[in-house]
Amino acid sequence: MIRWARQNTPLVGRTDTDQFVDYWTAASGGRASKMDWPAAWRTWMRKAQRDAERDVQAPPRRHRPAAGGGPVSATDANIAAFLGGGTTTGPLALTEGKP
C-alpha cells in the first residue's frame, strides 16, 4: 500500500492516511462498514491527491470587493479612506498625518 501511495498520490502521505483512519474509526452505522477497506483507502487518497493538485495549481485567493466595487466592511472603508487621504475612525485615525 505504501508503494501504491508513493506512485499514485505523491502529494499526500501519512497525514491523509491518519485522517482516513480517524474518520472511519469515529464513524458509525452502515456507512462505516466497508467490503474492501484498501479500496476505500485508495479512494480517499485519490481525492486527497486531487485536492492537493488543485491547491498547488490554484492562484492565491484575493479579496473581492462587493458588487459595485465599494468597501465591504467598516474596516475596508477605513482602509480605503486612509489610503485615499479621507477621514478614518478607530485605530487608523491615530496614524493620520504621520509618515
Side-chain angles (χ1 to χ4, degrees), residues 53-98:
E53 289 170 355
R54 182 198 64 228
D55 292 345
V56 167
Q57 295 171 0
R61 292 183 180 196
R62 296 178 185 246
H63 170 74
R64 291 186 176 182
V72 294
S73 70
T75 300
D76 290 338
N78 272 325
I79 291 171
F82 178 76
L83 294 175
T87 304
T88 61
T89 60
L92 287 177
L94 301 175
T95 61
E96 282 189 44
K98 295 183 181 178

Short mmCIF file of all heavy atoms in Angstrom, two decimals, residues 53-98:
data_model
loop_
_atom_site.label_atom_id
_atom_site.label_comp_id
_atom_site.label_asym_id
_atom_site.label_seq_id
_atom_site.Cartn_x
_atom_site.Cartn_y
_atom_site.Cartn_z
N GLU A 53 -3.41 18.69 -5.75
CA GLU A 53 -3.08 19.21 -7.08
C GLU A 53 -3.81 20.51 -7.35
O GLU A 53 -3.23 21.46 -7.89
CB GLU A 53 -3.44 18.18 -8.15
CG GLU A 53 -2.53 16.98 -8.16
CD GLU A 53 -3.02 15.85 -9.05
OE1 GLU A 53 -4.15 15.96 -9.61
OE2 GLU A 53 -2.29 14.85 -9.20
N ARG A 54 -5.07 20.58 -6.95
CA ARG A 54 -5.85 21.80 -7.13
C ARG A 54 -5.24 22.94 -6.33
O ARG A 54 -5.10 24.06 -6.81
CB ARG A 54 -7.30 21.58 -6.71
CG ARG A 54 -8.19 22.80 -6.92
CD ARG A 54 -9.47 22.75 -6.13
NE ARG A 54 -9.15 22.76 -4.70
CZ ARG A 54 -9.64 21.93 -3.80
NH1 ARG A 54 -10.51 21.01 -4.15
NH2 ARG A 54 -9.28 22.00 -2.55
N ASP A 55 -4.83 22.66 -5.09
CA ASP A 55 -4.25 23.70 -4.23
C ASP A 55 -2.93 24.21 -4.79
O ASP A 55 -2.63 25.39 -4.69
CB ASP A 55 -4.06 23.17 -2.81
CG ASP A 55 -5.38 22.92 -2.10
OD1 ASP A 55 -6.43 23.40 -2.59
OD2 ASP A 55 -5.37 22.22 -1.07
N VAL A 56 -2.15 23.32 -5.40
CA VAL A 56 -0.86 23.71 -5.98
C VAL A 56 -1.08 24.58 -7.21
O VAL A 56 -0.37 25.56 -7.44
CB VAL A 56 -0.02 22.47 -6.34
CG1 VAL A 56 1.16 22.83 -7.21
CG2 VAL A 56 0.44 21.76 -5.09
N GLN A 57 -2.09 24.27 -8.01
CA GLN A 57 -2.34 24.97 -9.27
C GLN A 57 -3.15 26.24 -9.10
O GLN A 57 -3.09 27.13 -9.95
CB GLN A 57 -3.07 24.05 -10.25
CG GLN A 57 -2.23 22.87 -10.68
CD GLN A 57 -3.02 21.86 -11.48
OE1 GLN A 57 -4.20 22.04 -11.72
NE2 GLN A 57 -2.36 20.80 -11.91
N ALA A 58 -3.91 26.35 -8.04
CA ALA A 58 -4.81 27.49 -7.86
C ALA A 58 -4.02 28.75 -7.54
O ALA A 58 -3.09 28.73 -6.74
CB ALA A 58 -5.80 27.21 -6.73
N PRO A 59 -4.37 29.86 -8.18
CA PRO A 59 -3.72 31.12 -7.83
C PRO A 59 -4.14 31.53 -6.42
O PRO A 59 -5.19 31.10 -5.94
CB PRO A 59 -4.25 32.10 -8.87
CG PRO A 59 -5.53 31.51 -9.32
CD PRO A 59 -5.39 30.03 -9.19
N PRO A 60 -3.33 32.33 -5.75
CA PRO A 60 -3.73 32.76 -4.41
C PRO A 60 -5.06 33.50 -4.44
O PRO A 60 -5.33 34.24 -5.39
CB PRO A 60 -2.60 33.70 -3.98
CG PRO A 60 -1.61 33.71 -5.06
CD PRO A 60 -2.11 32.89 -6.20
N ARG A 61 -5.86 33.27 -3.43
CA ARG A 61 -7.15 33.96 -3.37
C ARG A 61 -6.93 35.40 -2.98
O ARG A 61 -6.14 35.71 -2.11
CB ARG A 61 -8.06 33.28 -2.35
CG ARG A 61 -8.47 31.91 -2.80
CD ARG A 61 -9.41 31.31 -1.82
NE ARG A 61 -9.79 29.99 -2.28
CZ ARG A 61 -10.81 29.34 -1.82
NH1 ARG A 61 -11.55 29.86 -0.88
NH2 ARG A 61 -11.10 28.14 -2.27
N ARG A 62 -7.66 36.25 -3.63
CA ARG A 62 -7.58 37.68 -3.34
C ARG A 62 -8.94 38.17 -2.88
O ARG A 62 -9.95 37.64 -3.25
CB ARG A 62 -7.14 38.45 -4.58
CG ARG A 62 -5.75 38.09 -5.02
CD ARG A 62 -5.38 38.84 -6.27
NE ARG A 62 -4.10 38.38 -6.73
CZ ARG A 62 -3.03 39.15 -6.75
NH1 ARG A 62 -3.10 40.38 -6.35
NH2 ARG A 62 -1.89 38.67 -7.18
N HIS A 63 -8.89 39.22 -2.09
CA HIS A 63 -10.14 39.82 -1.61
C HIS A 63 -10.90 40.40 -2.80
O HIS A 63 -10.34 41.07 -3.65
CB HIS A 63 -9.81 40.93 -0.61
CG HIS A 63 -10.99 41.76 -0.25
ND1 HIS A 63 -11.98 41.30 0.57
CD2 HIS A 63 -11.35 43.00 -0.63
CE1 HIS A 63 -12.90 42.24 0.70
NE2 HIS A 63 -12.54 43.27 -0.02
N ARG A 64 -12.16 40.11 -2.87
CA ARG A 64 -13.01 40.67 -3.93
C ARG A 64 -13.99 41.64 -3.30
O ARG A 64 -14.71 41.29 -2.38
CB ARG A 64 -13.79 39.58 -4.63
CG ARG A 64 -12.89 38.69 -5.46
CD ARG A 64 -13.71 37.73 -6.24
NE ARG A 64 -12.81 36.97 -7.09
CZ ARG A 64 -13.21 36.07 -7.93
NH1 ARG A 64 -14.48 35.78 -8.03
NH2 ARG A 64 -12.35 35.43 -8.68
N PRO A 65 -14.02 42.87 -3.80
CA PRO A 65 -14.98 43.83 -3.25
C PRO A 65 -16.41 43.43 -3.59
O PRO A 65 -16.64 42.65 -4.51
CB PRO A 65 -14.60 45.15 -3.92
CG PRO A 65 -13.82 44.78 -5.13
CD PRO A 65 -13.20 43.43 -4.85
N ALA A 66 -17.34 43.99 -2.84
CA ALA A 66 -18.76 43.72 -3.08
C ALA A 66 -19.15 44.25 -4.45
O ALA A 66 -18.45 45.08 -5.04
CB ALA A 66 -19.59 44.38 -2.00
N ALA A 67 -20.29 43.80 -4.94
CA ALA A 67 -20.80 44.29 -6.23
C ALA A 67 -20.84 45.81 -6.20
O ALA A 67 -21.25 46.41 -5.23
CB ALA A 67 -22.18 43.71 -6.49
N GLY A 68 -20.40 46.42 -7.26
CA GLY A 68 -20.35 47.88 -7.31
C GLY A 68 -18.97 48.41 -6.96
O GLY A 68 -18.70 49.58 -7.10
N GLY A 69 -18.08 47.52 -6.46
CA GLY A 69 -16.71 47.91 -6.21
C GLY A 69 -16.47 48.65 -4.90
O GLY A 69 -15.36 49.05 -4.62
N GLY A 70 -17.49 48.83 -4.09
CA GLY A 70 -17.32 49.57 -2.84
C GLY A 70 -16.76 48.70 -1.74
O GLY A 70 -16.65 47.50 -1.87
N PRO A 71 -16.40 49.34 -0.62
CA PRO A 71 -15.90 48.59 0.53
C PRO A 71 -16.96 47.63 1.05
O PRO A 71 -18.14 47.89 0.92
CB PRO A 71 -15.59 49.66 1.57
CG PRO A 71 -15.58 50.95 0.83
CD PRO A 71 -16.41 50.76 -0.40
N VAL A 72 -16.51 46.52 1.63
CA VAL A 72 -17.46 45.53 2.11
C VAL A 72 -17.63 45.53 3.63
O VAL A 72 -18.47 44.85 4.15
CB VAL A 72 -17.08 44.11 1.64
CG1 VAL A 72 -17.19 44.00 0.14
CG2 VAL A 72 -15.69 43.74 2.10
N SER A 73 -16.81 46.30 4.34
CA SER A 73 -16.95 46.36 5.79
C SER A 73 -16.46 47.71 6.28
O SER A 73 -15.85 48.48 5.54
CB SER A 73 -16.13 45.25 6.45
OG SER A 73 -14.74 45.52 6.30
N ALA A 74 -16.69 47.98 7.56
CA ALA A 74 -16.21 49.23 8.14
C ALA A 74 -14.69 49.29 8.09
O ALA A 74 -14.09 50.34 7.85
CB ALA A 74 -16.71 49.36 9.58
N THR A 75 -14.05 48.15 8.31
CA THR A 75 -12.58 48.11 8.23
C THR A 75 -12.11 48.44 6.83
O THR A 75 -11.19 49.24 6.64
CB THR A 75 -12.07 46.71 8.64
OG1 THR A 75 -12.49 46.45 9.98
CG2 THR A 75 -10.55 46.63 8.56
N ASP A 76 -12.76 47.84 5.82
CA ASP A 76 -12.40 48.16 4.44
C ASP A 76 -12.61 49.63 4.14
O ASP A 76 -11.80 50.26 3.45
CB ASP A 76 -13.22 47.31 3.46
CG ASP A 76 -12.82 45.85 3.48
OD1 ASP A 76 -11.69 45.54 3.91
OD2 ASP A 76 -13.65 45.02 3.08
N ALA A 77 -13.70 50.21 4.64
CA ALA A 77 -13.98 51.62 4.41
C ALA A 77 -12.89 52.48 5.05
O ALA A 77 -12.43 53.45 4.45
CB ALA A 77 -15.35 51.99 4.98
N ASN A 78 -12.46 52.13 6.27
CA ASN A 78 -11.41 52.88 6.94
C ASN A 78 -10.09 52.79 6.17
O ASN A 78 -9.39 53.78 6.00
CB ASN A 78 -11.21 52.39 8.37
CG ASN A 78 -12.11 53.09 9.35
OD1 ASN A 78 -12.39 54.28 9.20
ND2 ASN A 78 -12.55 52.37 10.35
N ILE A 79 -9.77 51.61 5.71
CA ILE A 79 -8.52 51.43 4.96
C ILE A 79 -8.59 52.21 3.65
O ILE A 79 -7.63 52.89 3.27
CB ILE A 79 -8.23 49.94 4.73
CG1 ILE A 79 -7.87 49.28 6.06
CG2 ILE A 79 -7.11 49.76 3.70
CD1 ILE A 79 -7.78 47.78 6.01
N ALA A 80 -9.72 52.12 2.95
CA ALA A 80 -9.87 52.85 1.70
C ALA A 80 -9.75 54.36 1.94
O ALA A 80 -9.08 55.07 1.19
CB ALA A 80 -11.22 52.52 1.05
N ALA A 81 -10.36 54.85 3.01
CA ALA A 81 -10.28 56.27 3.33
C ALA A 81 -8.86 56.66 3.70
O ALA A 81 -8.35 57.70 3.27
CB ALA A 81 -11.24 56.61 4.47
N PHE A 82 -8.19 55.82 4.48
CA PHE A 82 -6.81 56.09 4.89
C PHE A 82 -5.89 56.16 3.67
O PHE A 82 -5.11 57.10 3.52
CB PHE A 82 -6.33 55.02 5.86
CG PHE A 82 -4.90 55.19 6.31
CD1 PHE A 82 -4.59 56.16 7.25
CD2 PHE A 82 -3.90 54.40 5.80
CE1 PHE A 82 -3.27 56.32 7.67
CE2 PHE A 82 -2.59 54.56 6.21
CZ PHE A 82 -2.27 55.52 7.15
N LEU A 83 -6.00 55.18 2.80
CA LEU A 83 -5.16 55.15 1.61
C LEU A 83 -5.51 56.27 0.64
O LEU A 83 -4.63 56.77 -0.07
CB LEU A 83 -5.28 53.79 0.91
CG LEU A 83 -4.72 52.61 1.70
CD1 LEU A 83 -5.01 51.30 0.96
CD2 LEU A 83 -3.24 52.77 1.96
N GLY A 84 -6.77 56.66 0.61
CA GLY A 84 -7.19 57.71 -0.30
C GLY A 84 -7.11 59.11 0.30
O GLY A 84 -7.49 60.09 -0.33
N GLY A 85 -6.63 59.22 1.53
CA GLY A 85 -6.49 60.53 2.15
C GLY A 85 -7.77 61.03 2.80
O GLY A 85 -7.85 62.19 3.18
N GLY A 86 -8.77 60.19 2.94
CA GLY A 86 -10.04 60.61 3.54
C GLY A 86 -10.00 60.53 5.06
O GLY A 86 -8.95 60.33 5.67
N THR A 87 -11.15 60.67 5.67
CA THR A 87 -11.27 60.64 7.13
C THR A 87 -11.49 59.21 7.59
O THR A 87 -12.33 58.49 7.04
CB THR A 87 -12.46 61.51 7.60
OG1 THR A 87 -12.26 62.82 7.09
CG2 THR A 87 -12.56 61.54 9.09
N THR A 88 -10.73 58.80 8.59
CA THR A 88 -10.86 57.45 9.14
C THR A 88 -11.30 57.53 10.59
O THR A 88 -11.24 58.59 11.22
CB THR A 88 -9.53 56.69 9.06
OG1 THR A 88 -8.56 57.39 9.83
CG2 THR A 88 -9.05 56.55 7.63
N THR A 89 -11.73 56.38 11.10
CA THR A 89 -12.10 56.29 12.51
C THR A 89 -11.34 55.13 13.13
O THR A 89 -10.72 54.34 12.43
CB THR A 89 -13.62 56.02 12.66
OG1 THR A 89 -13.92 54.79 12.00
CG2 THR A 89 -14.43 57.16 12.07
N GLY A 90 -11.39 55.02 14.42
CA GLY A 90 -10.73 53.91 15.10
C GLY A 90 -9.22 54.04 15.08
O GLY A 90 -8.68 55.15 15.00
N PRO A 91 -8.49 52.93 15.17
CA PRO A 91 -7.03 52.95 15.27
C PRO A 91 -6.35 53.67 14.10
O PRO A 91 -5.30 54.28 14.27
CB PRO A 91 -6.63 51.48 15.28
CG PRO A 91 -7.84 50.76 15.74
CD PRO A 91 -9.01 51.57 15.27
N LEU A 92 -6.94 53.60 12.90
CA LEU A 92 -6.32 54.27 11.77
C LEU A 92 -6.31 55.79 11.95
O LEU A 92 -5.45 56.48 11.42
CB LEU A 92 -7.01 53.90 10.46
CG LEU A 92 -6.74 52.49 9.95
CD1 LEU A 92 -7.55 52.24 8.68
CD2 LEU A 92 -5.28 52.26 9.70
N ALA A 93 -7.27 56.31 12.70
CA ALA A 93 -7.33 57.76 12.92
C ALA A 93 -6.09 58.23 13.68
O ALA A 93 -5.65 59.36 13.52
CB ALA A 93 -8.59 58.13 13.69
N LEU A 94 -5.49 57.36 14.48
CA LEU A 94 -4.31 57.72 15.26
C LEU A 94 -3.09 57.89 14.38
O LEU A 94 -2.12 58.53 14.78
CB LEU A 94 -4.03 56.64 16.32
CG LEU A 94 -5.15 56.39 17.33
CD1 LEU A 94 -4.79 55.23 18.23
CD2 LEU A 94 -5.41 57.66 18.15
N THR A 95 -3.10 57.34 13.17
CA THR A 95 -1.91 57.40 12.32
C THR A 95 -2.03 58.44 11.23
O THR A 95 -1.09 58.65 10.49
CB THR A 95 -1.65 56.03 11.67
OG1 THR A 95 -2.77 55.69 10.85
CG2 THR A 95 -1.41 54.96 12.70
N GLU A 96 -3.17 59.10 11.12
CA GLU A 96 -3.34 60.09 10.06
C GLU A 96 -2.31 61.20 10.20
O GLU A 96 -2.02 61.67 11.30
CB GLU A 96 -4.75 60.69 10.08
CG GLU A 96 -5.75 59.76 9.47
CD GLU A 96 -7.08 60.43 9.29
OE1 GLU A 96 -7.13 61.59 8.84
OE2 GLU A 96 -8.09 59.77 9.59
N GLY A 97 -1.76 61.60 9.07
CA GLY A 97 -0.82 62.70 9.05
C GLY A 97 0.59 62.28 9.43
O GLY A 97 1.50 63.08 9.45
N LYS A 98 0.80 61.01 9.78
CA LYS A 98 2.13 60.52 10.14
C LYS A 98 2.67 59.71 8.98
O LYS A 98 1.92 59.00 8.31
CB LYS A 98 2.06 59.65 11.40
CG LYS A 98 1.64 60.43 12.62
CD LYS A 98 1.65 59.55 13.83
CE LYS A 98 1.20 60.34 15.06
NZ LYS A 98 1.16 59.50 16.24
#
